[in-house]
């Protein structure tokens, strides 16, 4: 990342910490509130920075950090103290799909799940939440993918660079941040069951399943450039670098695509 961007994101983090410390939170126009779920596995050092952006949101009334690495005490990496924050220490290793188990235990109608390698600011989260409220039929993400049926591969669409046009559009799959309703959450588990899986068996590509949970295609909302962790491509950490990842992803996508077509034909 260029030095100017690094300085900008560092300054933004300091500024947000000041706002949170002073109790000055970013609000949205309505009264709706969201629960935020963040999983931690091998990026426990990122938790505090992610939480800074989340806790600066006045429309967030519950934040759950679920640490799925029993070898790590994630509380040692979190300096924030906030009544909205709950930390869960799992005694077993779990995959990213467990975020939906955590969400199901929350008393909320709206959810924001954030991968542990991106650092959204509260204005970006507000845009995504507002987008969901305007069209609750469509789950919302900050990055998207299209499936190329000719070449049988996924093609990613990322947020615009500075001064570029808005790239927001319907997509096949959303990534990195997932903003959805309780109805979407219920359909997520219906989809898992319909394709003959259990949530525990979804070791990756759970983002494909939530993307098929709406009455309309998922929405990639271009909220602009977002800071990310360099480890997002680390083969020892990044899930998509594991053997068999793309084959499993394509399998899930094709099954859900058939399921959606079958439902439309009934």
């Amino acid at each position: 990342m260029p030095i100017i961007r690094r300085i900008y994101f560092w300054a933004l983090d300091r500024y947000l910490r000041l706002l949170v410390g002073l109790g000055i939170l970013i609000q949205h126009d309505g009264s709706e509130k969201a629960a935020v779920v963040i999983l931690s596995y091998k990026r426990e050092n990122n938790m505090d920075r992610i939480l800074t952006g989340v806790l600066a949101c006045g429309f967030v009334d519950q934040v759950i950090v679920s640490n799925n690495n029993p070898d790590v005490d994630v509380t040692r990496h979190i300096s924030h103290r906030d009544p909205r924050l709950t930390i869960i220490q799992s005694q077993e290793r779990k995959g990213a799909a467990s975020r939906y188990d955590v969400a199901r235990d929350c008393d909320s109608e709206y959810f924001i799940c954030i991968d542990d390698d991106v650092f959204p600011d509260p204005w970006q989260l507000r845009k995504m939440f507002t987008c969901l409220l305007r069209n609750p039929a469509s789950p919302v993400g900050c990055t998207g993918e299209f499936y190329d049926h000719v070449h049988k591969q996924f093609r990613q669409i990322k947020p615009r660079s500075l001064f570029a046009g808005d790239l927001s559009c319907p997509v096949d799959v959303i990534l990195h941040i997932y903003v959805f309703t309780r109805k979407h959450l219920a359909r997520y588990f219906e989809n898992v069951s319909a394709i003959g899986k259990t949530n525990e068996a979804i070791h990756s590509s759970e983002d494909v399943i939530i993307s098929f949970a709406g009455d309309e295609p998922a929405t990639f909302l271009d909220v602009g450039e977002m800071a990310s962790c360099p480890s997002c491509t680390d083969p020892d950490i990044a899930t998509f670098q594991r053997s068999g990842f793309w084959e499993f992803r394509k399998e899930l996508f094709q099954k859900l695509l058939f399921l959606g077509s079958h439902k439309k034909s009934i």
Side-chain angles (χ1 to χ4, degrees):
M1 181 184 295
I3 187 64
I4 295 178
R5 285 191 176 92
R6 291 178 62 183
I7 293 173
Y8 166 76
F9 286 124
W10 177 86
L12 177 61
D13 181 68
R14 298 297 99 183
Y15 174 64
L16 292 176
R17 282 183 173 273
L18 177 62
L19 291 184
V20 172
L22 295 174
I24 303 173
L25 307 182
I26 307 304
Q27 306 290 345
H28 81 110
D29 292 338
S31 59
E32 298 89 349
K33 303 287 185 180
V36 174
V37 177
I38 309 165
L39 300 187
S40 175
Y41 182 59
K42 289 187 176 180
R43 298 186 178 104
E44 61 274 1
N45 290 327
N46 290 350
M47 291 300 104
D48 219 38
R49 185 174 174 187
I50 297 173
L51 284 170
T52 299
V54 170
L55 293 173
C57 297
F59 51 89
V60 168
D61 62 356
Q62 188 176 7
V63 184
I64 301 95
V65 173
S66 181
N67 181 35
N68 294 336
N69 185 353
D71 298 330
V72 172
D73 180 3
V74 75
T75 60
R76 298 178 58 185
H77 302 271
I78 296 176
S79 64
H80 291 284
R81 300 293 180 267
D82 192 293
R84 295 172 292 170
L85 176 60
T86 300
I87 301 174
I88 301 172
Q89 177 65 51
S90 176
Q91 299 305 310
E92 58 181 321
R93 299 179 186 275
K94 296 180 180 179
S98 66
R99 60 165 56 108
Y100 299 105
D101 293 315
V102 175
R104 192 155 56 169
D105 289 336
C106 296
D107 183 20
S108 181
E109 290 299 316
Y110 304 99
F111 302 91
I112 302 173
C113 291
I114 304 173
D115 284 353
D116 61 0
D117 57 354
V118 291
F119 308 105
D121 66 48
W123 297 278
Q124 291 171 321
L125 292 174
R126 180 173 65 181
K127 287 180 181 178
M128 297 180 71
F129 187 46
T130 300
C131 180
L132 177 75
L133 294 177
R134 288 175 178 168
N135 182 18
S138 174
V140 180
C142 69
T143 309
E145 279 183 343
F146 296 104
Y147 185 71
D148 183 337
H149 292 271
V150 175
H151 298 94
K152 300 185 184 304
Q153 60 184 5
F154 290 93
R155 300 187 182 278
Q156 193 171 120
I157 177 171
K158 298 180 179 180
R160 68 189 184 281
S161 300
L162 192 63
F163 304 125
D166 189 337
L167 301 176
S168 301
C169 61
V171 290
D172 291 322
V173 183
I174 51 176
L175 297 88
H176 301 318
I177 299 177
Y178 317 91
V179 187
F180 54 94
T181 67
R182 180 161 289 279
K183 181 179 178 180
H184 296 148
L185 181 62
R187 188 169 293 172
Y188 169 91
F189 285 101
E190 290 172 6
N191 287 342
V192 169
S193 178
I195 61 175
K197 301 283 188 180
T198 64
N199 203 39
E200 293 74 17
I202 307 297
H203 52 74
S204 63
S205 295
E206 74 294 334
D207 49 6
V208 175
I209 303 175
I210 194 64
S211 300
F212 276 82
D215 291 328
E216 295 181 8
T219 297
F220 155 59
L221 184 68
D222 187 351
V223 295
E225 187 174 6
M226 186 178 297
S228 62
C229 177
S231 72
C232 62
T233 58
D234 187 330
D236 293 328
I237 300 177
T239 305
F240 77 91
Q241 297 277 23
R242 297 174 185 171
S243 175
F245 172 85
W246 292 108
E247 290 76 12
F248 184 71
R249 190 173 188 80
K250 291 175 187 177
E251 175 194 345
L252 285 184
F253 182 80
Q254 294 296 342
K255 285 183 176 181
L256 288 161
L257 195 63
F258 173 79
L259 180 64
S261 300
H262 177 62
K263 284 183 176 180
K264 290 178 182 177
S265 65
I266 295 176

